[in-house]
Amino acid sequence: MNMKNRTLVFKSGDEDFEAGLLKAADIIRTGGTVAFPTETVYGLGADALNADAVHKIFKAKGRPADNPLIVHIANIDQCSKLAEEIPADAIKLMETFWPGPLTLILKAKDVVPDVTTGGLNTVGLRMPDNPVALELIRRSDTPLAAPSANTSGSPSPTTAEHVIHDLDGKIDAILDGGPADIGLESTVVDMTDKVPTILRPGHVSAEDIRKCVGDVRIGYRDRTLEEGEVARSPGMKYTHYSPKTKVILIEGNIKDVHKAMTEIVSDCHREGGRVGLFVTEETAKVVNADEICSLGKRNIPSQAARSIFMGLRHLDDKEIDLIIVDGTLKKEGIGTAVFNRLRKAADRIINV
Ligand code: TXA
Ligand code: MG
């Protein structure tokens, strides 16, 4: 019989959490894997400088080996050990947005193993804004390589339960710090060119970065790459955030989206199918189906950010044949990042 290894779970607020943190740091120092909360999503951490430990992350997630990991640090001084030629603009961004949901791509020093950088000569650095994450990094006394703590390709985890669902028995421990505040992964910015280039949108917006350093380029697409296209960030070429259930995103003006949604629901019902809606509060008053999950208020996209991965996972657990996502959500601010994830998660996008 194939015995499952046990994954330890320590919950913030519980009496033994202090001991749990010590145990988790000990696991990291001895080359193990620990999932931990951040303000964006849960990360799956290992000692970034220990190649064997980092391999375990790839194995647990089923992650392609050429997709590099973000290295998490607890103070700005750690950067100079991991990266060289740190531009003045990068320091400005660190001082403005760290700790926070911003990852900076810099030229890597040789101490960072190839497995961490996916064989690139650059490394992504980020200081998370979460007390449990920062405490774990400090006590481990080493930077933590950490991708999102989900099975590769599935929606990112915003609670410890999501991590358990995907990785129980495959990792050594989980620190449960409650639901993630932001709910969407960090903004990734390449600082190796003269002009900073956004490789993945997040809570820190293009406008925030432009205000801080004067200029910024958009280097991401909302869809996975076409054949023959070259990815600047290896993560761009893989499918992402996809539930097992088919996902249709409908974008356009509000009335047309509601009409198209109603039609697709009736088509599916006619064929004996069941439909889940992932919609704004406003749309939920107009369109109905078999399961409904809320994206929050149409004009407050931070609510959608917090619920997007939770909602996709929740609907994916229901007996439904189709998930329809409401594209009437406001596309400003973090709405840009929400649409980036929704478009990547969708099997089909309908523009009406
Ligand atoms: O908010 C976050 O960033 C979360 C938490 C745990 O910190 N982490 C996260 O990691 O989302 P992951 O591995 O799921 O996504 C990292 C993204 C990938 O698309 C990867 O390709 C890109 O960052 N990336 C990492 N290092 C890079 C590098 N050196 N050059 C270009 N892209 C890089
Ligand atoms: Mg991820």
Side-chain angles (χ1 to χ4, degrees):
M1 200 172 72
N2 195 359
M3 284 279 286
K4 236 185 171 188
N5 295 320
R6 214 174 128 229
T7 298
L8 303 170
V9 181
F10 302 106
K11 209 173 162 131
S12 163
D14 276 2
E15 239 174 79
D16 64 347
F17 189 64
E18 177 64 26
L21 258 177
L22 282 175
K23 176 70 186 162
D26 192 48
I27 291 171
I28 296 287
R29 277 194 305 269
T30 52
T33 51
V34 177
F36 60 94
T38 81
E39 79 282 31
T40 58
V41 300
Y42 274 71
L44 175 57
D47 179 352
L49 306 180
N50 176 342
D52 290 339
V54 175
H55 271 297
K56 293 179 186 167
I57 294 178
F58 282 85
K59 186 156 180 255
K61 279 181 63 83
R63 183 176 174 105
D66 68 347
N67 196 1
L69 307 183
I70 294 170
V71 176
H72 296 67
I73 57 177
N75 67 68
I76 293 186
D77 295 343
Q78 282 178 289
C79 290
S80 55
K81 295 197 187 102
L82 302 162
E84 49 195 357
E85 297 167 26
I86 303 175
D89 279 352
I91 293 172
K92 257 196 209 166
L93 289 168
M94 291 171 193
E95 285 172 348
T96 308
F97 297 108
W98 281 3
L102 177 69
T103 297
L104 299 175
I105 309 294
L106 299 161
K107 194 150 181 271
K109 281 200 167 161
D110 287 341
V111 285
V112 188
D114 272 356
V115 55
T116 302
T117 64
L120 299 175
N121 58 7
T122 54
V123 62
L125 300 183
R126 153 164 144 80
M127 191 194 298
D129 188 10
N130 178 290
V132 174
L134 291 171
E135 205 49 42
L136 177 66
I137 301 166
R138 281 189 206 110
R139 291 180 190 216
S140 303
D141 201 24
T142 185
L144 296 189
S148 48
N150 53 311
T151 301
S152 208
S154 74
S156 294
T158 57
T159 64
E161 288 73 30
H162 295 163
V163 181
I164 292 167
H165 177 273
D166 281 19
L167 301 176
D168 191 23
K170 297 181 175 173
I171 62 178
D172 296 313
I174 300 173
L175 296 176
D176 180 352
D181 282 342
I182 294 177
L184 274 184
E185 307 90 336
S186 63
T187 308
V188 177
V189 184
D190 185 351
M191 298 303 296
T192 62
D193 271 354
K194 269 191 242 68
V195 179
T197 303
I198 300 183
L199 302 183
R200 180 175 71 185
H203 181 75
V204 175
S205 68
E207 187 54 20
D208 294 333
I209 295 168
R210 200 191 53 73
K211 275 194 197 135
C212 181
V213 296
D215 205 358
V216 66
R217 268 192 217 126
I218 306 295
Y220 64 85
R221 298 267 186 92
D222 286 350
R223 297 297 284 164
T224 42
L225 299 180
E226 305 291 327
E227 218 185 328
E229 270 185 286
V230 178
R232 279 190 68 166
S233 174
M236 286 177 183
K237 50 179 198 218
Y238 300 109
T239 43
H240 266 105
Y241 319 120
S242 312
K244 292 183 282 307
T245 313
K246 186 176 172 190
V247 176
I248 297 181
L249 169 65
I250 310 180
E251 296 187 45
N253 79 56
I254 294 170
K255 274 207 169 125
D256 293 338
V257 169
H258 290 170
K259 186 162 168 269
M261 229 178 241
T262 308
E263 280 169 13
I264 295 173
V265 173
S266 356
D267 285 352
C268 189
H269 282 169
R270 210 170 303 122
E271 288 163 23
R274 285 169 48 84
V275 185
L277 297 181
F278 197 13
V279 294
T280 60
E281 281 179 16
E282 292 83 354
T283 295
K285 290 188 184 131
V286 183
V287 189
N288 208 349
D290 307 287
E291 296 286 345
I292 296 214
C293 197
S294 180
L295 281 165
K297 290 201 161 47
R298 179 181 300 139
N299 288 329
I300 313 181
S302 60
Q303 296 181 342
R306 215 169 287 134
S307 57
I308 170 176
F309 294 131
M310 175 108 59
L312 289 174
R313 280 175 180 266
H314 174 79
L315 288 170
D316 205 21
D317 278 346
K318 304 284 176 193
E319 292 288 310
I320 51 177
D321 303 279
L322 181 64
I323 297 171
I324 305 179
V325 185
D326 182 1
T328 65
L329 188 75
K330 195 169 164 189
K331 290 193 176 77
E332 278 162 38
I334 197 168
T336 309
V338 173
F339 270 95
N340 171 265
R341 308 307 194 271
L342 288 177
R343 287 169 179 157
K344 281 180 188 252
D347 296 282
R348 195 173 151 212
I349 300 173
I350 300 176
N351 282 291
V352 290

